[in-house]
Amino acid sequence: MTRVAPVGGTAVQDHVALAEIELCGDLIIAASAAHEDRLSLESIDEVLKVAEERARESGTGE
């Protein structure tokens, strides 16, 4: 017997997983547009907006 998921509103969204997928997509786009073989750590931090997140967490808003 084969079970099929019912049609309708039974989908569960994992917001953390969706955010991680979006970040991976951003990195893939940046890597494909890069002129060098690999993204530098600084480029990765820029794509992932590390400085902005740190500023937001520290309350400086920079």
Side-chain angles (χ1 to χ4, degrees), residues 2 4 6 11-12 16 28-29 32 38 43 50 61:
T2 303
V4 178
V12 176
V16 173
I28 291 168
I29 291 167
S32 66
R38 297 173 184 243
S43 295
V50 172

Side-chain angles (χ1 to χ4, degrees), residues 8-57:
T10 61
V12 176
Q13 289 190 359
D14 184 338
H15 297 287
V16 173
L18 292 173
E20 289 177 357
I21 291 167
E22 184 176 350
L23 291 173
C24 287
D26 292 345
L27 285 171
I28 291 168
I29 291 167
S32 66
H35 298 291
E36 59 271 359
D37 286 340
R38 297 173 184 243
L39 290 176
S40 66
L41 293 177
E42 292 80 14
S43 295
I44 292 170
D45 284 352
E46 184 179 333
V47 170
L48 298 179
K49 300 177 182 170
V50 172
E52 293 174 22
E53 182 65 21
R54 286 182 181 156
R56 187 182 65 80
E57 287 178 357

